[in-house]
Amino acid sequence: MCQTKLILILFLATAAIAGCCLVDEDLSECGTECKLDYELQLVTNITTELQTQLNMETEISVAAALKTFLADVFTDHAHDVDLSFYDVKGDSTRLHHESHIMNASQSSYTLHIPVRNYMHLAIANINDNSQVSVESYETCHNARLFS
């Protein structure tokens, strides 16, 4: 009985070692680039935000002025879209950037970017916009919209 157990243990050990040898650890054929199917849908809620944040009687005129001033920015239609992908480590520098003319409320794109973890920032309706611009968006944490 002991001899049978020993043979069984040796057989299992041999099978385990042989099985490990069958794993192909050569990663040279693995892609370094990822095909990303990107779907973008523009959702704006400026009216809700203004009503929620500026709801006092004295703030209603400010809310109306802001809504008029930002009407070309916060629309349900995007003319252009700016896509930035940032490093998740260190100073969060921009690693990949694309701009597209969208002319819709939603659109799909196929992106080819290196395989890694990213932070992502999408900005719409910024091209040729005289009221709002993007500043310092070479790094994610410094990116900001200003007028």
Side-chain angles (χ1 to χ4, degrees):
M1 181 97 171
C2 243
Q3 193 175 22
T4 307
K5 284 185 180 180
L6 181 60
I7 291 172
L8 182 60
I9 291 172
L10 287 174
F11 175 74
L12 291 175
T14 304
I17 291 171
C20 288
C21 294
L22 295 176
V23 174
D24 182 10
E25 294 182 16
D26 179 14
L27 301 177
S28 63
E29 292 184 22
C30 291
T32 58
E33 190 172 85
C34 157
K35 177 185 170 194
L36 179 67
D37 293 326
Y38 185 96
E39 293 183 25
L40 180 66
Q41 182 174 3
L42 187 64
V43 177
T44 58
N45 60 353
I46 186 143
T47 302
T48 304
E49 281 299 312
L50 289 174
Q51 288 173 349
T52 303
Q53 300 300 322
L54 302 174
N55 59 6
M56 303 296 285
E57 194 172 317
T58 56
E59 300 169 331
I60 291 174
S61 62
V62 173
L66 279 172
K67 188 174 181 179
T68 302
F69 182 74
L70 298 173
D72 293 336
V73 177
F74 292 99
T75 67
D76 292 333
H77 179 87
H79 171 263
D80 55 272
V81 64
D82 188 282
L83 309 173
S84 294
F85 296 84
Y86 297 91
D87 193 354
V88 295
K89 298 177 183 172
D91 57 358
S92 303
T93 56
R94 186 166 60 186
L95 301 172
H96 184 79
H97 178 249
E98 292 192 19
S99 294
H100 297 275
I101 300 300
M102 189 168 155
N103 280 332
S105 61
Q106 63 184 25
S107 188
S108 297
Y109 305 100
T110 299
L111 309 176
H112 296 275
I113 61 176
V115 175
R116 63 182 309 151
N117 290 326
Y118 294 98
M119 285 190 288
H120 174 56
L121 180 62
I123 303 171
N125 294 334
I126 206 69
N127 289 353
D128 302 324
N129 190 316
S130 61
Q131 297 169 336
V132 176
S133 311
V134 181
E135 182 179 88
S136 303
Y137 69 119
E138 290 299 319
T139 59
C140 185
H141 298 300
N142 293 329
R144 64 186 179 127
L145 297 173
F146 69 98
S147 61

